[in-house]
Amino acid sequence: MPPTAAPQKFHLAWFASAGPDEWNAPFASGGGRPWNGRFHIEWAQALERAGFDFMVMEDKLHVSEIYGGDARMTLKLGALTPLQDPAPLAALIGGATRHLGIVPTLSTLSYPPFLLARLCATLDNLTEGRIGWNIVTSGEDAAAQNFGLDKLPERELRYDMADEYLDLVNRLFASWDADAVVLDRTTGTYADPTKVRPVNFEGRWFRCRGPLNTVPGPQGRPLYLQAGASPRGRAFAAQHADAVIGVANGVAGMKAFRDDVRRRAAETGRDPQRIKVLFLVSPVMAETEAEAVRRHHEGVHSDDYVHRNLAFLGAFTDVDFAEFDLDQPLPRKLETNGGMGSLDKFQQWGSGKTLRQLVADGGSTGSIPLVGTPEQVADRMAEAMQAVGGDGFLIKAPFGHISRRYLHEVTDGLVPALQRRGLVRTEYTQATLRDTVLEF
Ligand SMILES: Cc1cc2nc3c(=O)[nH]c(=O)nc-3n(C[C@H](O)[C@H](O)[C@H](O)COP(=O)(O)O)c2cc1C
């Protein structure tokens, strides 16, 4: 018998937040309290035990008043509110793990480039090379208003500014050579001044003298993760990102998304193998398929879920879905200056589905529906990856908030099933996050 080829491995990461965990379901606990990071440490340790590449911390910089026109629903549902700052949490998690990558979301709207580069370099040192940066430009006027602006710049302009921002932070990360610290006792020299250079950056929007006053981290610069899904967002990702959060409907949509990102990367002269697309999914699992289907059905049809999902999506896209009838199709194709990629994926324009149906099949399940036993879900993930070509999945808890129970269904049910098929890592072999993500 000819030897069967080992299956192509794919990557797993988790889409997390520094917000509340599940608090009002039968297997729920603290809703975030106490806010001391211990829950997130446990979460990270479970992911590390299961061999995840990294944990992303989504973030927002405002209390959304979009859904229903004020903050009442946002606060009632705990929809992307409250959120702690993911950067100190990343440091705390880093101290309690050894291999897992940690990817806080930091917005180009809020951080001056120098501070962001310094923060990332510090975190990369503290975690010994396991930091990523989820690069976002923010998509909400209310966030802009927390930083002295009247409204958010238009998408094209935001991305143009972000291109310049990346140019500057890359120069700051490179402003110290890796071997700049010489600790030469004979000459009494700490750092070699020929290996530390100012950047003297004069852009359209940013000016910075440099150099960074921080020793660069083991990765030189953090892993860059990006989630813009509009054409302009994809162009940005193709140019800069090491990994991309993929949002698409179905296997064909996933393949088209990945092919597009890779084509764009190749056009900028990059090796497409060095940009990994991870697709958002939210598996719903149980001991039997029937029970998983029941849990999924009950989850996506609960009023709590429908409103929480629309409040989440509203906060992301700056669209007030409370204006629309839940039992009718959307009356028009929606446009936004916020997250256009997410909105397009959600609205499935032309499908004729009611808003409630869009929530039920778009909101909870991510790129493909994954409902069944861990073995069934593992098989479907394998089939999807085979058809798409790679590169992995980003798991997000279904129905809004995370619980320990859900976490362990994935780390102790799904992941072992994937490992038995040789589809995901069983151990870490690389020293830094970027090398882990590029390992296969
Ligand atoms: C899956 C996903 C996750 C995102 N996470 C965040 C986030 O945590 N914080 C944030 O401000 N924006 C987030 N964004 C917004 C994007 O980074 C981007 O700024 C926004 O979608 C606008 O880009 P687009 O119009 O190209 O999609 C996310 C987008 C997607 C699709």
Side-chain angles (χ1 to χ4, degrees):
M1 278 221 331
T4 40
Q8 172 65 36
K9 279 198 173 63
F10 55 78
H11 298 265
L12 291 177
W14 198 292
F15 192 74
S17 85
D21 57 321
E22 186 68 271
W23 57 276
N24 60 352
F27 289 88
S29 54
R33 289 188 298 177
W35 293 95
N36 57 14
R38 298 239 171 86
F39 176 73
H40 284 82
I41 288 174
E42 272 180 48
W43 185 349
Q45 287 172 337
L47 297 185
E48 184 165 82
R49 188 162 47 77
F52 275 63
D53 285 19
F54 59 85
M55 177 178 192
V56 196
M57 300 286 177
E58 72 177 322
D59 197 32
K60 288 286 157 194
L61 295 162
H62 66 300
V63 174
S64 180
E65 295 180 12
I66 290 294
Y67 192 56
D70 57 36
R72 274 181 295 179
M73 286 301 270
T74 297
L75 292 168
K76 177 174 188 287
L77 300 164
L80 287 170
T81 301
L83 287 169
Q84 301 221 94
D85 189 318
L89 190 59
L92 200 65
I93 292 171
T97 50
R98 290 184 50 215
H99 304 288
L100 183 75
I102 310 136
V103 184
T105 295
L106 305 167
S107 173
T108 55
L109 178 81
S110 60
Y111 278 92
F114 185 90
L115 274 186
L116 180 129
R118 186 166 188 247
L119 176 63
C120 286
T122 304
L123 286 172
D124 204 42
N125 278 314
L126 293 177
T127 59
E128 297 178 287
R130 292 184 286 128
I131 279 296
W133 168 26
N134 183 27
I135 308 171
V136 299
T137 59
S138 292
E140 312 82 14
D141 286 337
Q145 286 156 11
N146 284 336
F147 295 90
L149 303 174
D150 292 331
K151 66 194 284 291
L152 197 67
E154 294 298 316
R155 174 179 302 103
E156 297 291 314
L157 176 60
R158 286 205 312 277
Y159 276 120
D160 288 350
M161 291 172 76
D163 275 331
E164 187 179 296
Y165 193 113
L166 262 285
D167 185 11
L168 169 51
V169 295
N170 281 332
R171 288 168 200 253
L172 286 167
F173 288 128
S175 64
W176 286 60
D177 289 348
D179 58 355
V181 174
V182 289
L183 303 178
D184 186 340
R185 285 174 182 255
T186 53
T187 59
T189 303
Y190 184 83
D192 179 344
T194 67
K195 297 186 172 187
V196 182
R197 294 162 298 273
V199 299
N200 291 323
F201 190 88
E202 300 272 346
R204 272 180 76 192
W205 298 285
F206 303 105
R207 296 177 69 201
C208 182
R209 183 182 157 86
L212 216 53
N213 64 340
T214 316
V215 180
Q219 298 186 106
R221 63 164 177 83
L223 173 106
Y224 291 158
L225 178 71
Q226 213 271 338
S230 66
R232 184 64 182 88
R234 292 185 202 188
F236 178 85
Q239 195 183 342
H240 302 288
D242 300 299
V244 179
I245 302 179
V247 284
N249 286 317
V251 168
M254 289 163 69
K255 180 161 178 15
F257 184 100
R258 179 171 181 268
D259 289 351
D260 183 55
V261 168
R262 287 165 64 89
R263 180 186 54 77
R264 288 172 190 269
E267 277 170 14
T268 70
R270 294 185 61 193
D271 174 1
Q273 284 304 108
R274 294 184 67 86
I275 179 163
K276 304 294 178 188
V277 181
L278 306 182
F279 291 95
L280 216 53
V281 286
S282 296
V284 178
M285 293 172 292
E287 275 77 1
T288 63
E289 184 177 10
E291 174 58 9
V293 169
R294 192 200 62 74
R295 281 168 84 173
H296 177 254
H297 188 269
E298 191 179 292
V300 297
H301 288 98
S302 77
D303 271 359
D304 192 58
Y305 173 72
V306 171
H307 291 298
R308 202 190 299 176
N309 209 273
L310 291 175
F312 257 72
L313 196 69
F316 255 96
T317 57
D318 245 2
V319 171
D320 181 6
F321 290 97
E323 280 177 23
F324 307 119
D325 188 332
L326 277 174
D327 296 305
Q328 293 290 326
L330 290 168
R332 58 180 184 279
K333 186 161 192 233
L334 305 174
E335 299 281 339
T336 180
N337 185 32
M340 192 58 217
S342 305
L343 182 60
D344 260 347
K345 175 199 166 345
F346 174 77
Q347 67 183 330
Q348 298 181 45
W349 185 245
S351 68
K353 293 178 184 172
T354 66
L355 182 54
R356 201 186 289 280
Q357 285 167 331
L358 291 178
V359 172
D361 70 23
S364 71
T365 49
S367 310
I368 40 170
L370 293 172
V371 182
T373 64
E375 299 292 333
Q376 289 172 323
V377 169
D379 284 340
R380 278 183 211 139
M381 290 170 83
E383 281 160 26
M385 275 297 112
Q386 182 105 40
V388 172
D391 300 290
F393 293 99
L394 194 56
I395 294 186
K396 183 177 195 302
F399 322 134
H401 293 140
I402 176 90
S403 66
R404 282 185 179 81
R405 171 169 150 171
Y406 182 71
L407 174 63
H408 291 290
E409 284 171 0
V410 174
T411 57
D412 298 71
L414 177 58
V415 172
L418 291 168
Q419 287 173 335
R420 285 194 290 276
R421 289 161 173 74
L423 292 168
V424 297
R425 75 170 71 253
T426 50
E427 59 177 346
Y428 296 94
T429 60
Q430 309 293 314
T432 66
L433 172 59
R434 187 176 299 102
D435 288 343
T436 295
V437 168
L438 293 177
E439 185 184 351
F440 44 79

